[in-house]
Amino acid sequence: MKKKHISLLLLVGFSMVVLAGCSSSASGTPVEITADTEGFWNHFFVWPLSWLITTVAKYTGGYGVAIIIVTVLVRLCLVPLMVKQIRSTKAMQALQPEMKRLKEQYSSKDQATQQKLQQETMALYKTHGVNPLAGCLPLLIQMPILIAFYQAIIRTTEISEHTFLWFDLGSPDPYFILPILAGVTTYISQRISMLGQDQSGPMASQMKIMMYIMPAMILFFALNLPAALSLYWVVGNIFSAIQTYIIKGPDIKAAALKKNGR
């Protein structure tokens, strides 16, 4: 697995651990969020999500249902980015033979050769209109939304003290059902994202590793964070899985026909 993928995972975990505590007072009690709460982060991220969830709850009769609806709305807003990510991943995979050839051509580890390899690789991306960062963009965009979602939940009393189904939205799931579902649906979503792709090569190997690491990370965090966040993950993963399957439908069918020798 490449170092950049490991660094990205560490960034995700570190951000959730550190930023999750930024909303607490000196006594450790979460500071209630209101329209008058000062600060760029509070005003433009946490409060809008808190307001949206509470407003939707007034028309749906419950904060749990409101969180599900808001999650779907957030995912709908991210659809263009997800489409771009899927297309970028497909384009990157198509370039794997060329990238392998370049690595063989510039196999020497001296600085001049490695610099030349980097230049040739970037030229290859430019020629084919591929942005190597496009695959990471949706995850980076979702991080502030996820953290704001967490803070909106624990800093809005009406939400954090509300009970939905068998759990309190502001506390971890006592039966670990949602965390397990969050991990399982993350795996399913990752698995579907790999359908219709070439399962050989270094890029496929990295994706397979991520397919197991990401669910494990989500499960770990979900066990210790409010159940409302696990609900957000579960709904978001289901939406993502359906969305990916719809977008990649032709590729999945083509791969299935190829596998069956038709």
Side-chain angles (χ1 to χ4, degrees), residues 172-185:
D173 183 348
Y175 302 112
F176 313 119
I177 297 174
L178 275 180
I180 292 173
L181 285 176
V184 170
T185 54

Side-chain angles (χ1 to χ4, degrees), residues 58 65 107 124 134 165 186 214 229 232 249 261:
K58 293 178 182 178
V65 176
S107 58
L124 181 66
L165 299 177
T186 299
M214 284 301 293
L229 207 59
Y232 170 85

